[in-house]
Amino acid sequence: MQDFTWCAEYADGTHLVEIEESGKAHLFKEIQKDKLIAFGLAGRGMSLYYDVSTGIFNLAGRIVELAYRVGEKEYPLTGQTKLYNDCISFKQAYTEISPLTCRRSNTRIVQYCFGYKVRLQLGDLELHFKPVVFIPYDRPVYATFRLVADRDIADGELVIRRNGQTMEQIPVPLQKGVGLEAMWEVR
């Protein structure tokens, strides 16, 4: 059994989980993205997910909203009137293999990950945005935020708000068509 499983919640009140209590497993491709209202991970007594209608994260009770600021102008990355239903979930793991026998002896998950990717048209700016939350075993929960813009932006910054309060402002200058990824330890 694994510590976290993904869970897809649908508008009709039903849900699909990666592994049911009975042990029955579901494939990620079974998720009905057109009916999705929330997606995330559950395990170890925690629930970490995002709202599909807003892209806003709820990380064990911490509401995380994001924006991209250029000078005095702020472009909300979450809270847009669009579906953030291109969900992502994966596990990072390693396997030990004996060099003598070429047999696998141990496979171990080191972290669970989930998020989404979305293209946002924000007035005069188009951004491709991919936030991913990582839940590792050996360090605190963190997130990466990948941004790709349709133009060069020298003075941009990523604004991270938790429960309505600005927690971090990370300089993120962008080059047209080139992805840049910022990392943030969830607090």
Side-chain angles (χ1 to χ4, degrees):
M1 199 65 167
Q2 58 190 37
D3 287 342
F4 287 91
T5 60
W6 56 253
C7 182
E9 186 178 341
Y10 299 120
D12 65 3
T14 61
H15 64 276
L16 181 71
V17 294
E18 181 178 12
I19 302 171
E20 295 179 13
E21 288 183 24
S22 67
K24 181 180 178 185
H26 291 279
L27 299 175
F28 187 76
K29 68 181 181 179
E30 292 177 57
I31 296 171
Q32 298 175 34
K33 293 181 180 181
D34 59 326
K35 297 178 181 177
L36 200 58
I37 62 166
F39 181 79
L41 299 176
R44 288 202 229 155
M46 293 187 292
S47 179
L48 302 99
Y49 64 93
Y50 77 90
D51 182 303
V52 171
S53 67
T54 64
I56 295 172
F57 285 89
N58 183 321
L59 304 177
R62 298 176 184 102
I63 305 301
V64 178
E65 299 172 89
L66 302 146
Y68 188 69
R69 184 180 297 146
V70 180
E72 295 300 314
K73 188 167 186 177
E74 191 166 288
Y75 299 92
L77 299 172
T78 56
Q80 296 295 316
T81 54
K82 115 174 250 93
L83 289 179
Y84 295 76
N85 64 349
D86 198 355
C87 52
I88 297 168
S89 181
F90 59 96
K91 301 167 196 76
Q92 291 184 331
Y94 70 87
T95 299
E96 295 174 357
I97 299 175
S98 167
L100 300 175
T101 63
C102 293
R103 291 195 178 178
R104 188 171 45 169
S105 62
N106 187 22
T107 298
R108 188 169 153 196
I109 295 171
V110 294
Q111 63 185 356
Y112 297 85
C113 315
F114 82 100
Y116 59 85
K117 59 185 177 180
V118 66
R119 183 183 71 78
L120 298 167
Q121 186 63 51
L122 305 167
D124 62 336
L125 177 64
E126 180 180 303
L127 286 171
H128 292 261
F129 178 49
K130 184 171 93 172
V132 177
V133 176
F134 296 80
I135 307 165
Y137 280 110
D138 61 347
R139 60 182 196 252
V141 173
Y142 67 97
T144 60
F145 307 104
R146 182 176 173 79
L147 291 162
V148 181
D150 65 346
R151 63 179 174 176
D152 291 348
I153 303 171
D155 62 342
E157 63 182 8
L158 179 67
V159 179
I160 303 170
R161 292 186 178 93
R162 186 187 76 199
N163 298 332
Q165 300 293 315
T166 298
M167 295 300 295
E168 200 87 38
Q169 296 176 68
I170 303 169
V172 181
L174 297 173
Q175 290 181 307
K176 179 181 180 177
V178 177
L180 195 133
E181 195 168 273
M183 189 172 93
W184 177 64
E185 185 177 304
V186 176
R187 296 178 256 142

